[in-house]
Amino acid sequence: MPPRMQSRSVSNTLLPYLTATSSSSLSSIPSLSSSSSQCLSRQFSATAAPQAQTKLRRQMFEWLNTEGAVFKHHVPGETNYLTRLKQRGPETSSDASRPFPNNSSFISEPILSEELRNEVYHRVVEQKMSLRAVSVHLGIDMKRIAAVVRLVELEKRQRAQGKPLALPYARAIHEMVPTTPLAQQGERQEYHEPINDLPAHPLTGSQIFYPVPESRSFTRVEAGRVFSGAPAMEHSEAAEISHPSDLAEKIIEDPNSIAWVGKGANARQILQPADVRIPHPHMVALERDRLAHPNERLAVSEKQSKRLKRQDAIEKERRERLQARREKKLTVVSPEDSRFDYRIKDTIYTPETTGADGRGSKAVGRRYGVPHRDRTRGEIKIPTRVEA
Amino acid sequence: MVLRIRLARFGNKHNPFFNIVVAQARSARGAKPLEVIGTYNPIPKRPTNLYDENTETRPYKEIALDRSRAKYWLGVGAQPSDPVWKLMSMAGLVAPKPTTFHKA
Amino acid sequence: MRNRATNTLSKGKIRQSWSKYNLYNMQRFRSPPTINRTFFQQKWSAKAASRAYHGEQVREGQWKRMFNHRIRSVIPMNASDLAADDGSQASSGRGSGLDMGGKPAYQKRPTPYTQMTFAPLERRLDVAIFRALFASSARQARQFVIHGAVTVNGQKMKHPSYLLNPGDLFQVEPERVMYATGHTKTAYERRQGRLVRRKAKAQTSEEEVEAESKETAEEETKETAEEEAKETAEEEAKETEKEDPKETLKALMAQAKSIMSAGKDTLAPQRKQELRGFQQAVRRVLSRSESSTVLADSLEAQFSQLTLLLKAKRAEKKPDNKDVKLRPEDAFASDKGDRELAAARKDTETAVSDKLSEAFSQATLGNEVDASELSDEEFETLKRALTQMRDNPLDNSKTYSTPWQPRQYMSAFAFIPRYLEVNQNICAAVYLRHPVARPGSAEVPTPFGETIATPAYGWYLRRRW
């Protein structure tokens, strides 16, 4: 942090005097017999006022007092970015949300308002709605919803414990940064962010020349197979899939049904179409139903709710199974005469885990006969993860 | 020769970490054992205040143990050292040793 | 590590900092010229400019190991588009898709991949803290980590270069954040802080010496009462006001009273201090009220505005008053009684705070206007003002200027990228995912345009380009 300028007007008005003394002392440099007091004054003046700096500083403070004065304080509810200076003429909404005048591709996106955050928590924790449903209703990414629930829970606990909070700071930030408000009663909730983002898979980066007979339709499913180097599907198999989103249902029920290609270290799962890889595949299914039955709204929505219920149940069952397996492996003992609990985890010692020479990386415990690389240059010594 | 189930110290200075090993009684601590059947981290982990259940729990120490191998080695006459006896008694593999108070 | 992150004006480099020097540098920054310069030179200067901003605390070799030429991107998908087409349209015809009369939607805006060159650095803990607006510069964030003020997933993390994983929750001590983002103290406030600390020290030692039988709380209240009687020092009140709204009110009223009563003989700096503190309170009241021409600079203007506001509201609603003329002193006394009562029975907080706000209004209006019962709206306004005062008290023992207000020029740098979810109240944030590019926008905050980002990306590609 640079030193704060306490009295800039003073330093600026003092400037001519300081430069004058510096020039006089400079003239006295050759004479080595100058007194100690002169020496002191020379050092002082030489550091205090280099000529080039002061001009720049003067310009800076001029700017800060004229054009830049608007940035000193914020106006609640508005952004206050540098872009507003560059923008001569009518200001568009996108310009007001761009913090950097030179970078047109970075936008200061809205954050969740306090009320919206509490609403998310309310729906997930108190109304026990699924993350998926809340995400679709409020237009918030599922990861964000999970994070919000965590953070609000933590906040509640800290309030209960009487830990210090930064309330004025929070208020100031919410005044400076654009926010997504919670809709009033009867209004439609404004979507916070796109929720069906498809991550670009590295396999799709390559350019492939792949001739297809014109008589055959080449869908997203087949494109995925080509990208991952899998052979084309049998005709009968391809005929079964009327639309790529048919795969989504199957894969949600059994994630292991995705076939593998390649051997050994090169083995990879076949790249699935976008309909499967987006966070909300059920939305595609709903749209398809709507297209197929445009006049049966009720039936379509009923079917959708059934589908969601089924998928949620599958998801829940899978989570519970995982949890149970983890718990089965872990026993917690809390002895009376100890200050500590002991968590005993089951491990397996077999030739498979230890390997033929007993040095397998999956073996339990620190390994023998393997060099410690913790002092090697470039080796990462700081933790790479922290268990929650 | 006596087989012992004992701890072998790993980790760094001020940062101990033990393997629970089955080894010949007269072999060196750092020598290659017959088998590594588990680990013991004596540095207690503190609750993080991130979750509700965390706030009440005591600090805990982590043990990893292959129960079936431990049972096997006990069955063939391997003798646990005192610290390992304590750990194994917590895992329910051996009866806990009676505590002695009558030291002069 | 030497701090190279200075904001020198002659170099004009842009840093990850909220300094006004940096703001000025950012404002006058121009992309380096490309004419008459070799490709190497262009890449070099682009690299130099962007590295001064992105991870200047990271050694070049370290950054080169982190760099990845593969850039994460996402494409927002539309469910109805996916439902309407199984992809065969795009491959039909002669392989380039049926002519649908125009390009498909996702090709409209290019994805700014090269703006994401420095995305791996955003994973660093110190940079993430800066991006979450918990520190005023990446260097300061780094210091917070090293000084042990940061936890990751509830455990203390002392490595600024820790690379956050998606889902990691990091938290900074709120006091540090308030210090980093708040106004700095003036010399006067610093001295007051020293006095407070010295007094507290003396007090504790005294207590140790004498009183075993006495309850400390009792003693404190006694002392504060004495102080009030003298009406000399508000420090005691300030000390105790942190938690309790009543104490806050007391301090506030003391302030208001002294401002009203003080003549010329009060010491200038002390008066200034009092005025400033009260100004904050008044400003808060005004900014929350509807007729706000907020941030009127002089105190007098604000004060008259507040008076007008209250008067106007009173004129609207004729009061049917029970307790009419309450001098400030009386209000004070009654409030004290209230306080004891409230201490005895801690039931409804709202009732108490209503009384408090009433007393507050009386204190503010002081001897000018007769205080009478207030309308609900006014209660609301004042109640909010009071809660804000409670959250944001005058406390010279803090490391920042109190009442807390954001530091100058902060708003020009205030944005929170989408890959973080921040809870400002507890100063905690979750690193949701790695930053991504999408059509038309990139999530890595960088002050540089395409003309710098692309050559810088090219520089780190080395021979792969």
Side-chain angles (χ1 to χ4, degrees), chain C residues 15-28:
Chain C
R15 306 287 188 185
Q16 289 184 344
S17 155
W18 297 350
S19 142
K20 63 188 167 198
Y21 289 73
N22 196 36
L23 184 72
Y24 178 66
N25 282 341
M26 209 155 95
Q27 169 275 141
R28 68 182 177 136

Side-chain angles (χ1 to χ4, degrees), chain A residues 195-268:
Chain A
I195 51 172
N196 258 340
D197 276 346
L198 175 75
H201 197 279
L203 282 179
T204 58
S206 53
Q207 296 184 353
I208 297 171
F209 181 77
Y210 187 78
V212 183
E214 268 188 65
S215 59
R216 199 175 150 183
S217 74
F218 186 76
T219 63
R220 287 193 284 272
V221 182
E222 275 140 347
R225 293 184 76 90
V226 172
F227 274 130
S228 43
M233 280 188 292
E234 296 289 322
H235 277 283
S236 58
E237 202 182 340
E240 273 177 30
I241 304 166
S242 61
H243 190 273
S245 76
D246 289 347
L247 291 172
E249 190 97 348
K250 210 173 90 188
I251 287 167
I252 286 167
E253 274 168 26
D254 182 14
N256 295 330
S257 66
I258 301 176
W260 289 72
V261 285
K263 280 178 188 168
N266 207 18
R268 59 199 176 273

Side-chain angles (χ1 to χ4, degrees), chain A residues 67-250:
Chain A
E67 268 192 314
V70 286
F71 301 113
K72 209 161 188 177
H73 302 287
H74 70 285
V75 181
E78 280 178 35
T79 56
N80 193 15
Y81 299 135
L82 264 181
T83 320
R84 60 187 278 185
L85 287 188
K86 304 272 162 171
Q87 189 65 29
R88 313 270 182 228
E91 197 170 304
T92 55
S93 60
S94 68
D95 281 323
S97 61
R98 273 177 36 218
F100 305 115
N102 291 332
N103 184 359
S104 57
S105 61
F106 180 73
I107 302 154
S108 168
E109 313 251 25
I111 60 170
L112 299 177
S113 66
E114 193 82 39
E115 297 84 41
L116 187 51
R117 212 189 283 159
N118 290 334
E119 176 68 18
V120 167
Y121 180 79
H122 175 71
R123 289 195 190 187
V124 174
V125 176
E126 281 151 36
Q127 296 186 349
K128 303 248 186 274
M129 288 169 77
S130 66
L131 294 191
R132 191 173 292 282
V134 178
S135 167
V136 173
H137 286 168
L138 301 177
I140 304 173
D141 190 58
M142 282 197 287
K143 282 179 194 158
R144 192 179 301 279
I145 286 183
V148 164
V149 171
R150 256 176 102 185
L151 287 169
V152 173
E153 204 166 298
L154 187 61
E155 186 188 334
K156 280 186 194 298
R157 195 159 326 118
Q158 296 217 344
R159 273 181 197 273
Q161 289 169 349
K163 294 243 176 88
L165 303 173
L167 298 173
Y169 161 76
R171 194 163 46 241
I173 296 290
H174 280 264
E175 282 171 357
M176 289 177 196
V177 177
T179 54
T180 309
L182 175 65
Q184 299 294 318
Q185 203 73 43
E187 268 182 44
R188 204 183 152 76
Q189 175 63 42
E190 184 188 332
Y191 270 29
H192 180 66
E193 59 191 333
I195 51 172
N196 258 340
D197 276 346
L198 175 75
H201 197 279
L203 282 179
T204 58
S206 53
Q207 296 184 353
I208 297 171
F209 181 77
Y210 187 78
V212 183
E214 268 188 65
S215 59
R216 199 175 150 183
S217 74
F218 186 76
T219 63
R220 287 193 284 272
V221 182
E222 275 140 347
R225 293 184 76 90
V226 172
F227 274 130
S228 43
M233 280 188 292
E234 296 289 322
H235 277 283
S236 58
E237 202 182 340
E240 273 177 30
I241 304 166
S242 61
H243 190 273
S245 76
D246 289 347
L247 291 172
E249 190 97 348
K250 210 173 90 188

Side-chain angles (χ1 to χ4, degrees), chain A residues 382-383, chain C residues 125 142 144-148 150 155-162:
Chain A
I382 68 164
Chain C
L125 181 57
R142 185 185 165 83
F144 286 170
V145 180
I146 291 168
H147 289 195
V150 178
Q155 288 171 28
K156 196 208 268 184
M157 170 58 68
K158 52 179 185 175
H159 304 287
S161 61
Y162 173 71

Side-chain angles (χ1 to χ4, degrees), chain A residues 1-6 8 53 56-57 59-61 63-64 67-68 70-74 76 80-82 85-86 99-112 114 117 141 143-144 147-148 150-152 154-155 158-159 162 164-178 180 192-194 196-200 202 214 217-221 242-244 274-275 278 283-284 287-288 291 377-378 382-388, chain C residues 3 7-10 19-21 23-24 26-30 53 65 70 73-77 79-80 82-88 91 93 112 115 132-134 136 140 152-153 155 157 159 161-163 165 167-169 171 174-175 177-179 181 184 190 284 288 295 388 391-392 404-430 432-433 438 440-450:
Chain A
M1 207 161 60
R4 259 164 210 289
M5 297 311 300
Q6 288 290 348
R8 58 182 95 115
Q53 283 284 358
L56 287 167
R57 284 172 65 85
Q59 283 173 351
M60 183 187 84
F61 285 118
W63 182 81
L64 285 175
E67 268 192 314
V70 286
F71 301 113
K72 209 161 188 177
H73 302 287
H74 70 285
N80 193 15
Y81 299 135
L82 264 181
L85 287 188
K86 304 272 162 171
F100 305 115
N102 291 332
N103 184 359
S104 57
S105 61
F106 180 73
I107 302 154
S108 168
E109 313 251 25
I111 60 170
L112 299 177
E114 193 82 39
R117 212 189 283 159
D141 190 58
K143 282 179 194 158
R144 192 179 301 279
V148 164
R150 256 176 102 185
L151 287 169
V152 173
L154 187 61
E155 186 188 334
Q158 296 217 344
R159 273 181 197 273
L165 303 173
L167 298 173
Y169 161 76
R171 194 163 46 241
I173 296 290
H174 280 264
E175 282 171 357
M176 289 177 196
V177 177
T180 309
H192 180 66
E193 59 191 333
N196 258 340
D197 276 346
L198 175 75
E214 268 188 65
S217 74
F218 186 76
T219 63
R220 287 193 284 272
V221 182
S242 61
H243 190 273
D275 313 63
I278 56 175
M283 285 172 78
V284 182
E287 288 298 328
R288 276 186 68 211
L291 282 178
R377 190 170 170 273
I382 68 164
T384 52
R385 55 199 297 219
V386 179
E387 292 295 336
Chain C
N3 187 352
N7 293 293
T8 47
L9 293 170
S10 57
S19 142
K20 63 188 167 198
Y21 289 73
L23 184 72
Y24 178 66
M26 209 155 95
Q27 169 275 141
R28 68 182 177 136
F29 182 82
R30 301 286 175 274
Y53 179 82
R65 275 199 299 276
R70 183 165 290 150
S73 65
V74 296
I75 302 126
M77 292 312 240
S80 52
L82 286 177
D85 175 27
D86 62 356
S88 54
S91 60
Q115 298 279 20
L133 305 182
F134 292 157
S136 64
Q140 194 179 35
V152 175
N153 287 339
Q155 288 171 28
M157 170 58 68
H159 304 287
S161 61
Y162 173 71
L163 298 182
N165 296 315
D168 273 356
L169 185 149
Q171 187 172 24
E175 278 300 298
V177 174
M178 303 266 277
Y179 163 70
T181 57
T184 38
R190 277 198 295 275
R284 293 259 179 273
R288 289 290 156 177
L295 301 170
Q388 293 203 3
D391 298 341
N392 197 1
W404 187 90
Q405 60 192 112
R407 38 182 293 162
Q408 292 178 349
Y409 307 105
M410 175 180 168
S411 57
F413 303 99
F415 55 83
I416 296 176
R418 273 275 159 88
Y419 55 85
L420 294 174
E421 175 57 37
V422 186
N423 187 339
Q424 284 86 10
N425 291 333
I426 50 172
C427 298
V430 174
L432 295 177
R433 52 183 167 77
R438 57 183 75 231
S441 74
E443 278 185 341
V444 174
T446 168
F448 309 107
E450 201 74 42

